[in-house]
Amino acid sequence: MAKKMHEISKTAFTNSSMYVKDKIRYVKKCFTQIRISFDDQISPRSSINSDAGNHKIGRKVFGEKASEEVNFIDTGIQLIDNNKKVIETTKTADIQYVQFGVIRRMTTFVAPSIHYELSITIGTSAGNYYLLNENNNLEIYKRLTAWCEEQNILIEDPFDLASVTTGPATWTELFDGIFVTQVAKAVNLNYPEEVQTNIK
């Protein structure tokens, strides 16, 4: 019998935000778009998305500084502020699980559209981290699952992303076809059908 996965707090979704001025603080409260790196190397896809035109405009309009980030290293994870200073470290031994999911959001920032984001819940002995990543080819998912396996950390995959292959389709095209079915399977974990865009 499959082990029951961890239920995610509803407030982590309802307070989810695309643009916040203090991501390091919000990342412990709700799903927050934040740069992800491995051994101080920004993931190419994450870097491209973070520096895309819409994000640059958003940071300028809402007063964001350079991106804060979460860095995954052999001994654990680091929270790094926008001055590139490590402000908090969580040891690998204190990480209980990593759960991957998908959220769907309607945005009207440039033009009305639906897009999908990879949600990452990192459960630790001192509380959770809630990360969001716009991910068009599952790169972060693949890199982080490999990191979890190396560190012997429990992986939870309620959307069965391990079975998703992008092929010629984009991330949006893939999830336009399967999201409703997949989110229904994860509804007991509190994943919503749509997440509202909040600006703080």
Side-chain angles (χ1 to χ4, degrees), residues 9 11-12 22-32 34 70 77 79 87-90 122 124 126-131:
S9 168
T11 59
D22 187 0
K23 292 185 176 184
I24 294 297
R25 181 163 61 92
Y26 276 99
V27 81
K28 292 185 176 183
K29 298 180 179 181
C30 57
F31 286 107
T32 303
I34 192 165
V70 177
I77 58 176
L79 294 186
I87 63 168
E88 186 173 316
T89 300
T90 298
I122 302 172
T124 80
N128 293 350
Y129 296 100
Y130 302 102
L131 318 181

Side-chain angles (χ1 to χ4, degrees), residues 104-124:
R104 178 169 65 177
R105 192 192 301 274
M106 170 68 77
T107 180
T108 56
F109 188 71
V110 176
S113 63
I114 291 175
H115 69 279
Y116 301 86
E117 296 167 284
L118 178 70
S119 66
I120 304 165
T121 302
I122 302 172
T124 80

Side-chain angles (χ1 to χ4, degrees), residues 25-171:
R25 181 163 61 92
Y26 276 99
V27 81
K28 292 185 176 183
K29 298 180 179 181
C30 57
F31 286 107
T32 303
Q33 285 186 359
I34 192 165
R35 197 171 262 191
I36 294 174
S37 61
F38 296 87
D39 294 323
D40 297 316
Q41 297 296 313
I42 301 293
S43 168
R45 176 59 57 181
S46 175
S47 179
I48 290 170
N49 283 333
S50 294
D51 293 332
N54 291 352
H55 290 271
K56 285 183 177 179
I57 294 169
R59 287 202 298 267
K60 184 174 181 180
V61 170
F62 301 114
E64 279 194 282
K65 298 180 180 179
S67 295
E68 295 132 306
E69 66 186 77
V70 177
N71 185 35
F72 293 85
I73 57 178
D74 286 344
T75 56
I77 58 176
Q78 300 169 322
L79 294 186
I80 300 174
D81 67 13
N82 49 37
N83 294 314
K84 300 300 180 184
K85 179 181 178 182
V86 176
I87 63 168
E88 186 173 316
T89 300
T90 298
K91 294 179 180 179
T92 302
D94 294 327
I95 300 174
Q96 300 168 339
Y97 68 93
V98 174
Q99 184 179 121
F100 297 95
V102 180
I103 70 169
R104 178 169 65 177
R105 192 192 301 274
M106 170 68 77
T107 180
T108 56
F109 188 71
V110 176
S113 63
I114 291 175
H115 69 279
Y116 301 86
E117 296 167 284
L118 178 70
S119 66
I120 304 165
T121 302
I122 302 172
T124 80
S125 55
N128 293 350
Y129 296 100
Y130 302 102
L131 318 181
L132 276 181
N133 185 257
E134 284 192 293
N135 191 320
N136 289 325
N137 63 2
L138 292 175
E139 179 182 349
I140 293 294
Y141 168 78
K142 292 174 182 176
R143 293 195 67 177
L144 190 47
T145 52
W147 181 87
C148 289
E149 289 169 354
E150 289 172 1
Q151 307 301 327
N152 199 29
I153 293 170
L154 175 67
I155 298 170
E156 297 184 350
D157 189 5
F159 282 74
D160 195 20
L161 297 178
S163 69
V164 174
T165 56
T166 56
T170 67
W171 172 265

Side-chain angles (χ1 to χ4, degrees), residues 13 102-106 114-116 159 175 179-187 190-196:
F13 296 101
V102 180
I103 70 169
R104 178 169 65 177
R105 192 192 301 274
M106 170 68 77
I114 291 175
H115 69 279
Y116 301 86
F159 282 74
F175 283 98
F179 181 79
V180 172
T181 301
Q182 296 299 83
V183 78
K185 295 177 182 178
V187 68
N190 289 327
Y191 285 88
E193 288 196 4
E194 189 170 300
V195 171
Q196 299 299 312

